[in-house]
Amino acid sequence: MRWIRRLLRRRPEPAPQRTETPGQREAESALSRAVEARREVEAHRTTVDRIAARLARERETNHFADLFRAAFEGDR
């Protein structure tokens, strides 16, 4: 029981607060800008995916058109 009372009485002192350095402020600012940029990118992801899919379909269509044209012209 005595060791329990000793643990309860002995409280660690809180760590002293450090002053914020200019480097820390710059790092926090850069982190907040990066987080905001990521949120913006995530918000536009569906639009970008939809446009990329459309461009891929058009490229594939153009590729097949070129293949058919080459086959009819006798290039292949």
Side-chain angles (χ1 to χ4, degrees), residues 37-48:
R38 182 180 179 119
R39 284 186 189 137
E40 186 177 332
V41 167
E42 292 289 333
H44 295 301
R45 178 172 295 225
T46 56
T47 305
V48 171

Side-chain angles (χ1 to χ4, degrees), residues 13-14 19 23-24 41 43 47 68 71:
E13 295 180 13
T19 59
Q24 287 173 327
V41 167
T47 305
F68 287 132

Side-chain angles (χ1 to χ4, degrees), residues 15-64:
Q17 295 292 328
R18 295 183 181 165
T19 59
E20 195 174 72
T21 64
Q24 287 173 327
R25 282 192 297 270
E26 291 173 10
E28 288 176 4
S29 175
L31 179 61
S32 65
R33 286 193 311 269
V35 167
E36 185 61 33
R38 182 180 179 119
R39 284 186 189 137
E40 186 177 332
V41 167
E42 292 289 333
H44 295 301
R45 178 172 295 225
T46 56
T47 305
V48 171
D49 287 344
R50 191 172 52 241
I51 292 171
R54 191 182 102 223
L55 290 174
R57 282 192 309 271
E58 288 182 17
R59 184 179 59 230
E60 185 176 321
T61 302
N62 289 340
H63 173 69
F64 285 125

